[in-house]
Amino acid sequence: MNSSTNLAPTGAAGADADPAPLPLIAVTMGDGAGIGPEVIVPALLDPDTLRRCRPVVIGDAERLRQAARLRDIACEIVTVAAPADAAFPPGRINVVDLGLLPAELPWGTLSPVAGDAAYQYVRTAAELAMNGAVQGICTAPLNKEALHAGGHVFPGHTELLAQLTGVEEVSMMLATPTVKVIHVTTHLGLIDAVRKIEPGLVERTVRRGHEAMVRAGTPEPVIGVCGINPHAGENGLFGYGEEEEKIVPALEVLRADGIDARGPLPADTAFFLAGRGDYDLIVAMYHDQGHGPVKVLGLEAGVNLTVGLPVIRTSVDHGTAFDIAGTGTADAGSMIEALRQAAEMAPSPAQ
């Protein structure tokens, strides 16, 4: 077990081998009224980002220029017709400019126009990825209320990308330097989440997490699976036997297949044990069971991944932060980390 393993292998070409071309990563601008443009600009200019990938923004060039001015960053923001047309000299940001936002769009204000634009950025990036024009997608945050107001009723990026790529079921994974978590359910009310959990869904989620960890360079991951009730039910003391009904049958099948999935575990201790290195991956049963500990343990460097898509997708692990949008103070660390993860998980483009 190696709990410090990155979510993707770095790998290195031999000394005499030609280096593989860097992957093209489509960076969706997210909600233009939020902090997405403000974190994209410094993240795409970061030397470490440019050593790992060739990022191209899918968004609005003028909004990025406004963000650069807010942050007092001197750079060249250039529109390109397609990612393949982009060039990457220092100080340049390439944009497939959809031109959807009015120049006077206020920062930090919910806007149906920005919500629709955020959808169009993701739709375009998904098409590019499915056509092989980019090798991965990295998303800046969108605002769900604005997305809905713009006419696109999805709980979030995860479900939106699943529909756009024709996948029926995917999982959300959160990765920080301290702990990695995959969710059985995400954007559901707690009562609905408990109803939805069943052995087949638990098994499929664990398998997706196991596959992602193996791909990331942990060949035999140790996976801790949370219970639903406090103390994982404590042998029927809490709840109505949900652990025995919904989780245990899945664990029996997984272990029979050689997957080291342990549990059901009390969630409060599972994250403590993962933090000290006992588990490579934690399986959370519902949204806040996984998100709360992750945001305490590593929000600044957290990355959101969608596992099970036919394309690589990573994202920042924060929202649109309307309260600070337009101030030029947003931290770009999570975007830099999300780009790193996308670059390392993405396949090399065809030469």
PDB file of all heavy atoms in Angstrom, residues 127-166:
ATOM      1  N   GLU A 127     -17.317  17.380 -26.831  1.00  0.00           N
ATOM      2  CA  GLU A 127     -17.244  17.026 -28.248  1.00  0.00           C
ATOM      3  C   GLU A 127     -15.796  16.922 -28.718  1.00  0.00           C
ATOM      4  O   GLU A 127     -15.426  15.990 -29.439  1.00  0.00           O
ATOM      5  CB  GLU A 127     -17.996  18.073 -29.076  1.00  0.00           C
ATOM      6  CG  GLU A 127     -19.502  18.040 -28.900  1.00  0.00           C
ATOM      7  CD  GLU A 127     -20.208  19.133 -29.697  1.00  0.00           C
ATOM      8  OE1 GLU A 127     -19.493  19.944 -30.336  1.00  0.00           O
ATOM      9  OE2 GLU A 127     -21.445  19.175 -29.658  1.00  0.00           O
ATOM     10  N   LEU A 128     -14.977  17.871 -28.290  1.00  0.00           N
ATOM     11  CA  LEU A 128     -13.561  17.832 -28.674  1.00  0.00           C
ATOM     12  C   LEU A 128     -12.886  16.570 -28.145  1.00  0.00           C
ATOM     13  O   LEU A 128     -12.095  15.925 -28.852  1.00  0.00           O
ATOM     14  CB  LEU A 128     -12.851  19.078 -28.149  1.00  0.00           C
ATOM     15  CG  LEU A 128     -13.221  20.405 -28.811  1.00  0.00           C
ATOM     16  CD1 LEU A 128     -12.663  21.572 -28.005  1.00  0.00           C
ATOM     17  CD2 LEU A 128     -12.709  20.454 -30.248  1.00  0.00           C
ATOM     18  N   ALA A 129     -13.192  16.216 -26.900  1.00  0.00           N
ATOM     19  CA  ALA A 129     -12.576  15.034 -26.309  1.00  0.00           C
ATOM     20  C   ALA A 129     -13.042  13.755 -27.001  1.00  0.00           C
ATOM     21  O   ALA A 129     -12.236  12.862 -27.288  1.00  0.00           O
ATOM     22  CB  ALA A 129     -12.888  14.973 -24.817  1.00  0.00           C
ATOM     23  N   MET A 130     -14.334  13.666 -27.269  1.00  0.00           N
ATOM     24  CA  MET A 130     -14.859  12.459 -27.910  1.00  0.00           C
ATOM     25  C   MET A 130     -14.336  12.310 -29.337  1.00  0.00           C
ATOM     26  O   MET A 130     -14.225  11.195 -29.847  1.00  0.00           O
ATOM     27  CB  MET A 130     -16.389  12.488 -27.901  1.00  0.00           C
ATOM     28  CG  MET A 130     -17.003  12.425 -26.500  1.00  0.00           C
ATOM     29  SD  MET A 130     -16.640  10.886 -25.625  1.00  0.00           S
ATOM     30  CE  MET A 130     -17.774   9.764 -26.455  1.00  0.00           C
ATOM     31  N   ASN A 131     -14.004  13.434 -29.961  1.00  0.00           N
ATOM     32  CA  ASN A 131     -13.462  13.395 -31.328  1.00  0.00           C
ATOM     33  C   ASN A 131     -11.949  13.239 -31.354  1.00  0.00           C
ATOM     34  O   ASN A 131     -11.344  13.204 -32.434  1.00  0.00           O
ATOM     35  CB  ASN A 131     -13.854  14.673 -32.078  1.00  0.00           C
ATOM     36  CG  ASN A 131     -15.340  14.748 -32.368  1.00  0.00           C
ATOM     37  OD1 ASN A 131     -16.002  13.724 -32.473  1.00  0.00           O
ATOM     38  ND2 ASN A 131     -15.870  15.958 -32.478  1.00  0.00           N
ATOM     39  N   GLY A 132     -11.324  13.196 -30.181  1.00  0.00           N
ATOM     40  CA  GLY A 132      -9.885  13.023 -30.121  1.00  0.00           C
ATOM     41  C   GLY A 132      -9.082  14.289 -30.316  1.00  0.00           C
ATOM     42  O   GLY A 132      -7.855  14.240 -30.438  1.00  0.00           O
ATOM     43  N   ALA A 133      -9.751  15.440 -30.329  1.00  0.00           N
ATOM     44  CA  ALA A 133      -9.039  16.707 -30.518  1.00  0.00           C
ATOM     45  C   ALA A 133      -8.299  17.145 -29.266  1.00  0.00           C
ATOM     46  O   ALA A 133      -7.358  17.938 -29.340  1.00  0.00           O
ATOM     47  CB  ALA A 133     -10.016  17.798 -30.952  1.00  0.00           C
ATOM     48  N   VAL A 134      -8.745  16.682 -28.103  1.00  0.00           N
ATOM     49  CA  VAL A 134      -8.036  16.897 -26.842  1.00  0.00           C
ATOM     50  C   VAL A 134      -7.976  15.560 -26.123  1.00  0.00           C
ATOM     51  O   VAL A 134      -8.761  14.646 -26.387  1.00  0.00           O
ATOM     52  CB  VAL A 134      -8.719  17.967 -25.955  1.00  0.00           C
ATOM     53  CG1 VAL A 134      -8.706  19.328 -26.621  1.00  0.00           C
ATOM     54  CG2 VAL A 134     -10.141  17.549 -25.575  1.00  0.00           C
ATOM     55  N   GLN A 135      -7.038  15.453 -25.200  1.00  0.00           N
ATOM     56  CA  GLN A 135      -6.862  14.185 -24.469  1.00  0.00           C
ATOM     57  C   GLN A 135      -7.444  14.221 -23.062  1.00  0.00           C
ATOM     58  O   GLN A 135      -7.419  13.220 -22.354  1.00  0.00           O
ATOM     59  CB  GLN A 135      -5.367  13.836 -24.396  1.00  0.00           C
ATOM     60  CG  GLN A 135      -4.797  13.343 -25.711  1.00  0.00           C
ATOM     61  CD  GLN A 135      -4.630  14.449 -26.721  1.00  0.00           C
ATOM     62  OE1 GLN A 135      -3.963  15.448 -26.448  1.00  0.00           O
ATOM     63  NE2 GLN A 135      -5.221  14.294 -27.897  1.00  0.00           N
ATOM     64  N   GLY A 136      -7.975  15.352 -22.648  1.00  0.00           N
ATOM     65  CA  GLY A 136      -8.568  15.444 -21.328  1.00  0.00           C
ATOM     66  C   GLY A 136      -9.320  16.754 -21.179  1.00  0.00           C
ATOM     67  O   GLY A 136      -9.186  17.677 -21.987  1.00  0.00           O
ATOM     68  N   ILE A 137     -10.133  16.820 -20.125  1.00  0.00           N
ATOM     69  CA  ILE A 137     -10.921  18.008 -19.806  1.00  0.00           C
ATOM     70  C   ILE A 137     -10.637  18.395 -18.364  1.00  0.00           C
ATOM     71  O   ILE A 137     -10.613  17.534 -17.477  1.00  0.00           O
ATOM     72  CB  ILE A 137     -12.437  17.747 -19.972  1.00  0.00           C
ATOM     73  CG1 ILE A 137     -12.771  17.360 -21.412  1.00  0.00           C
ATOM     74  CG2 ILE A 137     -13.257  18.948 -19.534  1.00  0.00           C
ATOM     75  CD1 ILE A 137     -14.211  16.885 -21.594  1.00  0.00           C
ATOM     76  N   CYS A 138     -10.435  19.684 -18.125  1.00  0.00           N
ATOM     77  CA  CYS A 138     -10.286  20.214 -16.776  1.00  0.00           C
ATOM     78  C   CYS A 138     -11.293  21.351 -16.638  1.00  0.00           C
ATOM     79  O   CYS A 138     -11.282  22.293 -17.440  1.00  0.00           O
ATOM     80  CB  CYS A 138      -8.862  20.718 -16.549  1.00  0.00           C
ATOM     81  SG  CYS A 138      -8.555  21.363 -14.894  1.00  0.00           S
ATOM     82  N   THR A 139     -12.167  21.268 -15.643  1.00  0.00           N
ATOM     83  CA  THR A 139     -13.275  22.204 -15.557  1.00  0.00           C
ATOM     84  C   THR A 139     -13.125  23.181 -14.407  1.00  0.00           C
ATOM     85  O   THR A 139     -12.831  22.802 -13.279  1.00  0.00           O
ATOM     86  CB  THR A 139     -14.618  21.461 -15.405  1.00  0.00           C
ATOM     87  OG1 THR A 139     -14.591  20.666 -14.204  1.00  0.00           O
ATOM     88  CG2 THR A 139     -14.884  20.547 -16.586  1.00  0.00           C
ATOM     89  N   ALA A 140     -13.347  24.467 -14.716  1.00  0.00           N
ATOM     90  CA  ALA A 140     -13.519  25.476 -13.679  1.00  0.00           C
ATOM     91  C   ALA A 140     -14.955  25.379 -13.152  1.00  0.00           C
ATOM     92  O   ALA A 140     -15.821  24.807 -13.818  1.00  0.00           O
ATOM     93  CB  ALA A 140     -13.232  26.864 -14.240  1.00  0.00           C
ATOM     94  N   PRO A 141     -15.246  25.930 -11.985  1.00  0.00           N
ATOM     95  CA  PRO A 141     -16.563  25.683 -11.360  1.00  0.00           C
ATOM     96  C   PRO A 141     -17.697  26.384 -12.091  1.00  0.00           C
ATOM     97  O   PRO A 141     -17.549  27.498 -12.607  1.00  0.00           O
ATOM     98  CB  PRO A 141     -16.384  26.252  -9.945  1.00  0.00           C
ATOM     99  CG  PRO A 141     -15.298  27.264 -10.065  1.00  0.00           C
ATOM    100  CD  PRO A 141     -14.361  26.722 -11.100  1.00  0.00           C
ATOM    101  N   LEU A 142     -18.828  25.705 -12.126  1.00  0.00           N
ATOM    102  CA  LEU A 142     -20.065  26.330 -12.583  1.00  0.00           C
ATOM    103  C   LEU A 142     -21.008  26.480 -11.394  1.00  0.00           C
ATOM    104  O   LEU A 142     -20.808  25.863 -10.343  1.00  0.00           O
ATOM    105  CB  LEU A 142     -20.719  25.548 -13.723  1.00  0.00           C
ATOM    106  CG  LEU A 142     -21.007  24.048 -13.570  1.00  0.00           C
ATOM    107  CD1 LEU A 142     -22.181  23.766 -12.661  1.00  0.00           C
ATOM    108  CD2 LEU A 142     -21.265  23.428 -14.938  1.00  0.00           C
ATOM    109  N   ASN A 143     -22.003  27.315 -11.565  1.00  0.00           N
ATOM    110  CA  ASN A 143     -22.995  27.541 -10.518  1.00  0.00           C
ATOM    111  C   ASN A 143     -24.267  26.798 -10.899  1.00  0.00           C
ATOM    112  O   ASN A 143     -24.846  27.043 -11.958  1.00  0.00           O
ATOM    113  CB  ASN A 143     -23.255  29.043 -10.372  1.00  0.00           C
ATOM    114  CG  ASN A 143     -24.252  29.352  -9.281  1.00  0.00           C
ATOM    115  OD1 ASN A 143     -25.458  29.198  -9.464  1.00  0.00           O
ATOM    116  ND2 ASN A 143     -23.753  29.788  -8.137  1.00  0.00           N
ATOM    117  N   LYS A 144     -24.693  25.872 -10.055  1.00  0.00           N
ATOM    118  CA  LYS A 144     -25.826  25.012 -10.409  1.00  0.00           C
ATOM    119  C   LYS A 144     -27.113  25.804 -10.598  1.00  0.00           C
ATOM    120  O   LYS A 144     -27.905  25.524 -11.498  1.00  0.00           O
ATOM    121  CB  LYS A 144     -26.003  23.926  -9.348  1.00  0.00           C
ATOM    122  CG  LYS A 144     -24.815  22.977  -9.244  1.00  0.00           C
ATOM    123  CD  LYS A 144     -25.023  21.964  -8.130  1.00  0.00           C
ATOM    124  CE  LYS A 144     -23.821  21.025  -8.016  1.00  0.00           C
ATOM    125  NZ  LYS A 144     -22.597  21.738  -7.591  1.00  0.00           N
ATOM    126  N   GLU A 145     -27.333  26.823  -9.757  1.00  0.00           N
ATOM    127  CA  GLU A 145     -28.547  27.624  -9.898  1.00  0.00           C
ATOM    128  C   GLU A 145     -28.536  28.390 -11.217  1.00  0.00           C
ATOM    129  O   GLU A 145     -29.548  28.477 -11.916  1.00  0.00           O
ATOM    130  CB  GLU A 145     -28.675  28.579  -8.719  1.00  0.00           C
ATOM    131  CG  GLU A 145     -30.010  29.311  -8.666  1.00  0.00           C
ATOM    132  CD  GLU A 145     -30.172  30.192  -7.448  1.00  0.00           C
ATOM    133  OE1 GLU A 145     -29.296  30.148  -6.552  1.00  0.00           O
ATOM    134  OE2 GLU A 145     -31.176  30.942  -7.386  1.00  0.00           O
ATOM    135  N   ALA A 146     -27.380  28.940 -11.575  1.00  0.00           N
ATOM    136  CA  ALA A 146     -27.271  29.646 -12.848  1.00  0.00           C
ATOM    137  C   ALA A 146     -27.425  28.679 -14.023  1.00  0.00           C
ATOM    138  O   ALA A 146     -28.049  29.018 -15.044  1.00  0.00           O
ATOM    139  CB  ALA A 146     -25.936  30.373 -12.932  1.00  0.00           C
ATOM    140  N   LEU A 147     -26.852  27.487 -13.901  1.00  0.00           N
ATOM    141  CA  LEU A 147     -26.990  26.458 -14.934  1.00  0.00           C
ATOM    142  C   LEU A 147     -28.457  26.156 -15.173  1.00  0.00           C
ATOM    143  O   LEU A 147     -28.922  26.096 -16.312  1.00  0.00           O
ATOM    144  CB  LEU A 147     -26.234  25.201 -14.508  1.00  0.00           C
ATOM    145  CG  LEU A 147     -26.227  24.030 -15.481  1.00  0.00           C
ATOM    146  CD1 LEU A 147     -25.351  24.326 -16.688  1.00  0.00           C
ATOM    147  CD2 LEU A 147     -25.726  22.752 -14.774  1.00  0.00           C
ATOM    148  N   HIS A 148     -29.213  25.971 -14.086  1.00  0.00           N
ATOM    149  CA  HIS A 148     -30.641  25.672 -14.206  1.00  0.00           C
ATOM    150  C   HIS A 148     -31.384  26.858 -14.802  1.00  0.00           C
ATOM    151  O   HIS A 148     -32.249  26.694 -15.671  1.00  0.00           O
ATOM    152  CB  HIS A 148     -31.216  25.316 -12.839  1.00  0.00           C
ATOM    153  CG  HIS A 148     -30.693  24.038 -12.287  1.00  0.00           C
ATOM    154  ND1 HIS A 148     -31.148  23.490 -11.103  1.00  0.00           N
ATOM    155  CD2 HIS A 148     -29.740  23.171 -12.739  1.00  0.00           C
ATOM    156  CE1 HIS A 148     -30.495  22.369 -10.854  1.00  0.00           C
ATOM    157  NE2 HIS A 148     -29.642  22.158 -11.831  1.00  0.00           N
ATOM    158  N   ALA A 149     -31.045  28.071 -14.348  1.00  0.00           N
ATOM    159  CA  ALA A 149     -31.694  29.269 -14.884  1.00  0.00           C
ATOM    160  C   ALA A 149     -31.415  29.439 -16.369  1.00  0.00           C
ATOM    161  O   ALA A 149     -32.235  30.006 -17.102  1.00  0.00           O
ATOM    162  CB  ALA A 149     -31.230  30.501 -14.113  1.00  0.00           C
ATOM    163  N   GLY A 150     -30.281  28.931 -16.820  1.00  0.00           N
ATOM    164  CA  GLY A 150     -29.928  28.984 -18.232  1.00  0.00           C
ATOM    165  C   GLY A 150     -30.567  27.898 -19.065  1.00  0.00           C
ATOM    166  O   GLY A 150     -30.306  27.802 -20.275  1.00  0.00           O
ATOM    167  N   GLY A 151     -31.394  27.053 -18.424  1.00  0.00           N
ATOM    168  CA  GLY A 151     -32.156  26.049 -19.158  1.00  0.00           C
ATOM    169  C   GLY A 151     -31.556  24.659 -19.188  1.00  0.00           C
ATOM    170  O   GLY A 151     -31.993  23.807 -19.964  1.00  0.00           O
ATOM    171  N   HIS A 152     -30.573  24.393 -18.311  1.00  0.00           N
ATOM    172  CA  HIS A 152     -29.890  23.097 -18.327  1.00  0.00           C
ATOM    173  C   HIS A 152     -29.967  22.494 -16.924  1.00  0.00           C
ATOM    174  O   HIS A 152     -29.198  22.858 -16.036  1.00  0.00           O
ATOM    175  CB  HIS A 152     -28.445  23.273 -18.780  1.00  0.00           C
ATOM    176  CG  HIS A 152     -28.324  24.061 -20.050  1.00  0.00           C
ATOM    177  ND1 HIS A 152     -28.655  23.544 -21.280  1.00  0.00           N
ATOM    178  CD2 HIS A 152     -27.943  25.349 -20.272  1.00  0.00           C
ATOM    179  CE1 HIS A 152     -28.472  24.473 -22.211  1.00  0.00           C
ATOM    180  NE2 HIS A 152     -28.046  25.565 -21.615  1.00  0.00           N
ATOM    181  N   VAL A 153     -30.902  21.584 -16.736  1.00  0.00           N
ATOM    182  CA  VAL A 153     -31.190  21.072 -15.398  1.00  0.00           C
ATOM    183  C   VAL A 153     -30.379  19.809 -15.146  1.00  0.00           C
ATOM    184  O   VAL A 153     -30.792  18.687 -15.458  1.00  0.00           O
ATOM    185  CB  VAL A 153     -32.701  20.812 -15.218  1.00  0.00           C
ATOM    186  CG1 VAL A 153     -32.984  20.343 -13.795  1.00  0.00           C
ATOM    187  CG2 VAL A 153     -33.489  22.071 -15.534  1.00  0.00           C
ATOM    188  N   PHE A 154     -29.189  20.017 -14.605  1.00  0.00           N
ATOM    189  CA  PHE A 154     -28.311  18.933 -14.196  1.00  0.00           C
ATOM    190  C   PHE A 154     -27.838  19.237 -12.773  1.00  0.00           C
ATOM    191  O   PHE A 154     -27.646  20.404 -12.418  1.00  0.00           O
ATOM    192  CB  PHE A 154     -27.090  18.828 -15.116  1.00  0.00           C
ATOM    193  CG  PHE A 154     -27.410  18.414 -16.523  1.00  0.00           C
ATOM    194  CD1 PHE A 154     -27.693  19.366 -17.495  1.00  0.00           C
ATOM    195  CD2 PHE A 154     -27.441  17.077 -16.878  1.00  0.00           C
ATOM    196  CE1 PHE A 154     -27.989  18.990 -18.790  1.00  0.00           C
ATOM    197  CE2 PHE A 154     -27.735  16.689 -18.175  1.00  0.00           C
ATOM    198  CZ  PHE A 154     -28.013  17.642 -19.132  1.00  0.00           C
ATOM    199  N   PRO A 155     -27.619  18.201 -11.962  1.00  0.00           N
ATOM    200  CA  PRO A 155     -27.112  18.459 -10.608  1.00  0.00           C
ATOM    201  C   PRO A 155     -25.700  19.034 -10.591  1.00  0.00           C
ATOM    202  O   PRO A 155     -25.299  19.666  -9.618  1.00  0.00           O
ATOM    203  CB  PRO A 155     -27.148  17.077  -9.950  1.00  0.00           C
ATOM    204  CG  PRO A 155     -28.125  16.286 -10.762  1.00  0.00           C
ATOM    205  CD  PRO A 155     -27.985  16.798 -12.161  1.00  0.00           C
ATOM    206  N   GLY A 156     -24.914  18.788 -11.644  1.00  0.00           N
ATOM    207  CA  GLY A 156     -23.546  19.283 -11.665  1.00  0.00           C
ATOM    208  C   GLY A 156     -22.788  18.747 -12.866  1.00  0.00           C
ATOM    209  O   GLY A 156     -23.360  18.111 -13.763  1.00  0.00           O
ATOM    210  N   HIS A 157     -21.481  18.998 -12.867  1.00  0.00           N
ATOM    211  CA  HIS A 157     -20.617  18.561 -13.967  1.00  0.00           C
ATOM    212  C   HIS A 157     -20.684  17.048 -14.182  1.00  0.00           C
ATOM    213  O   HIS A 157     -20.663  16.571 -15.321  1.00  0.00           O
ATOM    214  CB  HIS A 157     -19.160  18.931 -13.659  1.00  0.00           C
ATOM    215  CG  HIS A 157     -18.755  20.289 -14.121  1.00  0.00           C
ATOM    216  ND1 HIS A 157     -18.344  21.281 -13.246  1.00  0.00           N
ATOM    217  CD2 HIS A 157     -18.671  20.829 -15.365  1.00  0.00           C
ATOM    218  CE1 HIS A 157     -18.024  22.360 -13.946  1.00  0.00           C
ATOM    219  NE2 HIS A 157     -18.203  22.115 -15.226  1.00  0.00           N
ATOM    220  N   THR A 158     -20.692  16.288 -13.077  1.00  0.00           N
ATOM    221  CA  THR A 158     -20.612  14.835 -13.181  1.00  0.00           C
ATOM    222  C   THR A 158     -21.734  14.288 -14.043  1.00  0.00           C
ATOM    223  O   THR A 158     -21.515  13.531 -15.008  1.00  0.00           O
ATOM    224  CB  THR A 158     -20.642  14.203 -11.781  1.00  0.00           C
ATOM    225  OG1 THR A 158     -19.566  14.719 -11.003  1.00  0.00           O
ATOM    226  CG2 THR A 158     -20.537  12.687 -11.857  1.00  0.00           C
ATOM    227  N   GLU A 159     -22.960  14.671 -13.720  1.00  0.00           N
ATOM    228  CA  GLU A 159     -24.115  14.163 -14.455  1.00  0.00           C
ATOM    229  C   GLU A 159     -24.174  14.739 -15.865  1.00  0.00           C
ATOM    230  O   GLU A 159     -24.565  14.052 -16.824  1.00  0.00           O
ATOM    231  CB  GLU A 159     -25.390  14.494 -13.685  1.00  0.00           C
ATOM    232  CG  GLU A 159     -25.483  13.836 -12.312  1.00  0.00           C
ATOM    233  CD  GLU A 159     -24.709  14.571 -11.204  1.00  0.00           C
ATOM    234  OE1 GLU A 159     -24.108  15.645 -11.484  1.00  0.00           O
ATOM    235  OE2 GLU A 159     -24.700  14.075 -10.072  1.00  0.00           O
ATOM    236  N   LEU A 160     -23.780  15.989 -16.019  1.00  0.00           N
ATOM    237  CA  LEU A 160     -23.775  16.622 -17.329  1.00  0.00           C
ATOM    238  C   LEU A 160     -22.819  15.907 -18.280  1.00  0.00           C
ATOM    239  O   LEU A 160     -23.168  15.580 -19.422  1.00  0.00           O
ATOM    240  CB  LEU A 160     -23.386  18.091 -17.175  1.00  0.00           C
ATOM    241  CG  LEU A 160     -23.111  18.900 -18.453  1.00  0.00           C
ATOM    242  CD1 LEU A 160     -24.295  18.841 -19.399  1.00  0.00           C
ATOM    243  CD2 LEU A 160     -22.764  20.341 -18.093  1.00  0.00           C
ATOM    244  N   LEU A 161     -21.610  15.652 -17.819  1.00  0.00           N
ATOM    245  CA  LEU A 161     -20.632  14.987 -18.675  1.00  0.00           C
ATOM    246  C   LEU A 161     -21.027  13.546 -18.980  1.00  0.00           C
ATOM    247  O   LEU A 161     -20.731  13.039 -20.071  1.00  0.00           O
ATOM    248  CB  LEU A 161     -19.256  15.042 -18.019  1.00  0.00           C
ATOM    249  CG  LEU A 161     -18.545  16.384 -18.190  1.00  0.00           C
ATOM    250  CD1 LEU A 161     -17.421  16.530 -17.169  1.00  0.00           C
ATOM    251  CD2 LEU A 161     -17.998  16.527 -19.606  1.00  0.00           C
ATOM    252  N   ALA A 162     -21.681  12.895 -18.034  1.00  0.00           N
ATOM    253  CA  ALA A 162     -22.144  11.532 -18.303  1.00  0.00           C
ATOM    254  C   ALA A 162     -23.122  11.533 -19.477  1.00  0.00           C
ATOM    255  O   ALA A 162     -23.032  10.704 -20.393  1.00  0.00           O
ATOM    256  CB  ALA A 162     -22.792  10.939 -17.056  1.00  0.00           C
ATOM    257  N   GLN A 163     -24.059  12.475 -19.475  1.00  0.00           N
ATOM    258  CA  GLN A 163     -25.018  12.534 -20.586  1.00  0.00           C
ATOM    259  C   GLN A 163     -24.334  12.908 -21.895  1.00  0.00           C
ATOM    260  O   GLN A 163     -24.600  12.308 -22.943  1.00  0.00           O
ATOM    261  CB  GLN A 163     -26.136  13.532 -20.292  1.00  0.00           C
ATOM    262  CG  GLN A 163     -27.190  13.562 -21.418  1.00  0.00           C
ATOM    263  CD  GLN A 163     -28.307  14.516 -21.146  1.00  0.00           C
ATOM    264  OE1 GLN A 163     -28.296  15.641 -21.620  1.00  0.00           O
ATOM    265  NE2 GLN A 163     -29.298  14.079 -20.385  1.00  0.00           N
ATOM    266  N   LEU A 164     -23.445  13.881 -21.852  1.00  0.00           N
ATOM    267  CA  LEU A 164     -22.786  14.340 -23.072  1.00  0.00           C
ATOM    268  C   LEU A 164     -21.911  13.263 -23.711  1.00  0.00           C
ATOM    269  O   LEU A 164     -21.702  13.271 -24.926  1.00  0.00           O
ATOM    270  CB  LEU A 164     -21.942  15.580 -22.775  1.00  0.00           C
ATOM    271  CG  LEU A 164     -22.708  16.867 -22.458  1.00  0.00           C
ATOM    272  CD1 LEU A 164     -21.759  17.943 -21.959  1.00  0.00           C
ATOM    273  CD2 LEU A 164     -23.476  17.360 -23.683  1.00  0.00           C
ATOM    274  N   THR A 165     -21.400  12.352 -22.891  1.00  0.00           N
ATOM    275  CA  THR A 165     -20.524  11.301 -23.425  1.00  0.00           C
ATOM    276  C   THR A 165     -21.230   9.953 -23.547  1.00  0.00           C
ATOM    277  O   THR A 165     -20.597   8.959 -23.895  1.00  0.00           O
ATOM    278  CB  THR A 165     -19.272  11.144 -22.546  1.00  0.00           C
ATOM    279  OG1 THR A 165     -19.671  10.848 -21.195  1.00  0.00           O
ATOM    280  CG2 THR A 165     -18.445  12.422 -22.559  1.00  0.00           C
ATOM    281  N   GLY A 166     -22.538   9.924 -23.252  1.00  0.00           N
ATOM    282  CA  GLY A 166     -23.314   8.709 -23.454  1.00  0.00           C
ATOM    283  C   GLY A 166     -23.056   7.608 -22.445  1.00  0.00           C
ATOM    284  O   GLY A 166     -23.189   6.421 -22.765  1.00  0.00           O
TER     285      GLY A 166
END
